[in-house]
Amino acid sequence: MVIPPPVRPPRVVKFLKPYVLKMHFTNKYVNAQVIHAPTATVASAASSQEKALRTSMESTQDVAAAAKIGKILGERLLLKEIPAVSVFLKREQKYHGKVKAVIDSLRDAGVKLL
């Protein structure tokens, strides 16, 4: 006799979708993207390389730019109805400086971090 797996309510399944935040910092730019892990597709992204953002920023590489990228990414995630993401930090990335600015501004925008 085979026992079927339990059926979860759709709102819980939708909330537990594995979206992962990945950040990349260069000497000139700040990039952040949220990836849907099972399908390996980019759900949303924001970068200081975008023409519309470059004109409104004083610098594209400092902590203030990282905070602005996090805020914009949070707004884009909420427009796509993605309520929560998990954070993936590389080995050399610590919760400090630009990384902290992106994560805190994402949290302030209303996105939950898992």
Side-chain angles (χ1 to χ4, degrees):
M1 177 179 193
V2 177
I3 300 173
V7 177
R8 292 186 178 181
R11 62 181 177 81
V12 174
V13 172
K14 185 175 181 182
F15 184 74
L16 293 176
K17 286 185 180 175
Y19 290 98
V20 180
L21 170 68
K22 293 191 177 186
M23 296 168 278
H24 181 69
F25 305 100
T26 64
N27 290 335
K28 286 187 173 184
Y29 302 110
V30 176
N31 302 306
Q33 59 186 3
V34 173
I35 298 172
H36 185 242
T39 59
T41 57
V42 177
S44 184
S47 174
S48 59
Q49 287 179 306
E50 297 175 16
K51 283 188 177 182
L53 298 178
R54 267 192 282 170
T55 57
S56 64
M57 290 185 194
E58 293 179 18
S59 175
T60 58
Q61 60 197 17
D62 59 354
V63 176
K68 190 163 189 172
I69 293 300
K71 180 182 174 192
I72 291 169
L73 183 62
E75 292 169 357
R76 290 178 182 174
L77 287 173
L78 293 177
L79 285 176
K80 290 191 174 187
E81 298 179 359
I82 299 173
V85 297
S86 59
V87 179
F88 175 78
L89 296 178
K90 296 177 186 174
R91 177 180 243 171
E92 68 271 3
Q93 289 179 333
K94 296 178 182 173
Y95 184 72
H96 180 73
K98 295 178 192 176
V99 174
K100 182 178 179 185
V102 170
I103 293 173
D104 287 346
S105 59
L106 197 65
R107 188 179 296 132
D108 292 341
V111 178
K112 294 181 182 176
L113 299 175
L114 302 177

